[in-house]
């Protein structure tokens, strides 16, 4: 995503600037297409939260499995 933003907004001074520019452009696009940006943004946020929770669960599961493997190797 960072590469895409760098190509789309070469004048951006930071990733934060590029993100600001893309969000602004997405709002313009929503206006042109008569879409409710806030509605789509809330839907995207729900997906994002679910993905973060899944990643955290997977990380915890992997850590537990690694811990159990380490315990078995020490026995």
């Amino acid at each position: 995503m960072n590469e895409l933003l760098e190509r789309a907004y070469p004048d951006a001074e930071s990733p934060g600037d590029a993100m600001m520019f893309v969000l602004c452009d997405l709002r313009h696009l929503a206006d042109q297409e008569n879409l409710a940006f806030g509605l789509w943004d809330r839907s995207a946020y729900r997906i994002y939260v679910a993905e973060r929770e899944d990643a955290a669960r997977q990380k915890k599961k992997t850590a537990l499995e690694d811990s159990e493997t380490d315990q078995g190797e020490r026995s």
Side-chain angles (χ1 to χ4, degrees), residues 63 66-75:
D66 289 347
S67 175
E68 289 171 358
T69 301
D70 289 345
Q71 293 295 328
E73 290 174 359
R74 287 185 229 173
S75 298

Side-chain angles (χ1 to χ4, degrees), residues 1-8 18 22:
M1 184 54 67
N2 203 29
E3 271 184 45
L4 179 64
L5 289 175
E6 287 174 2
R7 284 194 311 250
V22 75

Side-chain angles (χ1 to χ4, degrees), residues 36-72:
F37 181 86
L39 176 67
W40 291 101
D41 185 42
R42 282 188 295 281
S43 295
Y45 183 73
R46 283 193 293 273
I47 294 168
Y48 162 77
V49 168
E51 289 174 347
R52 279 190 56 182
E53 289 171 353
D54 287 346
R57 275 193 293 275
Q58 185 60 42
K59 185 176 180 181
K60 186 175 181 179
K61 179 181 174 188
T62 300
L64 283 171
E65 290 170 351
D66 289 347
S67 175
E68 289 171 358
T69 301
D70 289 345
Q71 293 295 328

Side-chain angles (χ1 to χ4, degrees), residues 7-43:
R7 284 194 311 250
Y9 302 98
D11 295 334
E13 295 181 12
S14 69
D17 281 345
M19 187 171 58
M20 177 181 59
F21 297 151
V22 75
L23 287 167
C24 179
D25 288 343
L26 287 170
R27 283 176 170 82
H28 286 298
L29 177 62
D31 289 345
Q32 289 171 357
E33 298 295 325
N34 198 31
L35 298 170
F37 181 86
L39 176 67
W40 291 101
D41 185 42
R42 282 188 295 281
S43 295

